[in-house]
């Protein structure tokens, strides 16, 4: 999905792959050590962004988004269904567009942060496997013990 255009004429694109696309809903599987919460479902931009992607690529508009999560610690499955308004979807798209502009300008705030002990850390997705900005990230050396 084209999000917008840089000053130099290049486009910013949104890309992604939903786990399952049905006519009436989009499904995303999650796994983790903890339960996927209703707050996470309500605040995640993923339903808004995937719904836009599905509209653009498949010309259908599933109104519901289902998170199906597996808690590896408890061995329990759970599900939560959410919906997004047009305003929420547009807000998510504008946010992603701004992130793209910030990355291109080299001013996007990196994920590494100092924890309460003053030690720098980075998120699990800070790796060449999961981060599209890895090649240009000046903070990728943080926690070099992590697999990259």
């Amino acid at each position: 999905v084209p999000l917008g255009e840089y000053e130099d004429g290049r486009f910013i694109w949104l890309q992604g792959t939903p786990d399952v696309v049905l006519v009436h809903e989009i499904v995303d599987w999650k796994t983790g050590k903890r339960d996927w919460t209703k707050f996470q479902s309500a605040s995640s931009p993923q339903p808004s962004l995937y719904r836009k992607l599905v509209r653009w690529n498949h010309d259908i508009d599933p109104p519901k988004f289902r998170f199906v999560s597996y808690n590896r610690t408890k061995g329990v499955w759970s599900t939560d269904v959410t919906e997004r308004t047009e305003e929420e979807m547009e807000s998510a798209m504008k946010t992603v567009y701004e992130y793209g502009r910030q990355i291109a300008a080299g001013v996007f705030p990196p994920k590494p942060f100092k924890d309460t002990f003053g030690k720098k850390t980075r998120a699990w997705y800070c790796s060449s496997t999961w981060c599209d900005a890895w090649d240009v990230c000046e903070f990728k050396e943080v926690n070099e013990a992590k697999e990259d």
Side-chain angles (χ1 to χ4, degrees):
V1 175
L3 294 173
E5 192 173 350
Y6 292 114
E7 289 75 20
D8 65 5
R10 293 179 298 140
F11 280 91
I12 300 172
W13 289 86
L14 174 65
Q15 61 185 23
T17 307
D19 292 326
V20 176
V21 176
L22 304 168
V23 173
H24 62 282
E25 73 180 359
I26 300 167
V27 180
D28 188 68
W29 282 289
K30 302 286 185 198
T31 61
K33 295 178 183 177
R34 295 182 199 93
D35 292 330
W36 183 260
T37 66
K38 292 217 178 272
F39 174 77
Q40 287 172 297
S41 294
S43 60
S44 173
Q46 197 172 12
S48 295
L49 300 174
Y50 275 2
R51 188 170 170 195
K52 285 285 199 177
L53 280 169
V54 168
R55 273 186 191 172
W56 177 267
N57 291 309
H58 303 289
D59 200 30
I60 60 173
D61 190 16
K64 297 182 188 293
F65 191 97
R66 180 179 303 272
F67 288 102
V68 178
S69 61
Y70 181 69
N71 180 316
R72 293 188 314 263
T73 305
K74 297 178 183 176
V76 175
W77 288 94
S78 63
T79 187
D80 189 43
V81 177
T82 186
E83 296 183 35
R84 293 296 188 268
T85 65
E86 288 296 325
E87 293 80 17
E88 290 168 323
M89 290 188 293
E90 286 306 314
S91 176
M93 295 292 280
K94 287 177 183 176
T95 299
V96 171
Y97 173 72
E98 282 304 313
Y99 286 169
R101 286 175 34 95
Q102 291 173 17
I103 290 170
V107 295
F108 186 75
K111 281 295 180 190
F113 60 92
K114 289 188 178 182
D115 65 15
T116 54
F117 302 105
K119 180 181 165 190
K120 288 184 181 178
T121 187
R122 67 180 190 218
W124 65 267
Y125 45 80
C126 286
S127 74
S128 58
T129 303
W130 302 108
C131 181
D132 293 333
W134 184 253
D135 291 336
V136 297
C137 182
E138 61 186 279
F139 295 94
K140 64 183 171 186
E141 76 281 352
V142 174
N143 289 355
E144 281 300 324
K146 285 195 173 197
E147 185 179 315
D148 296 331

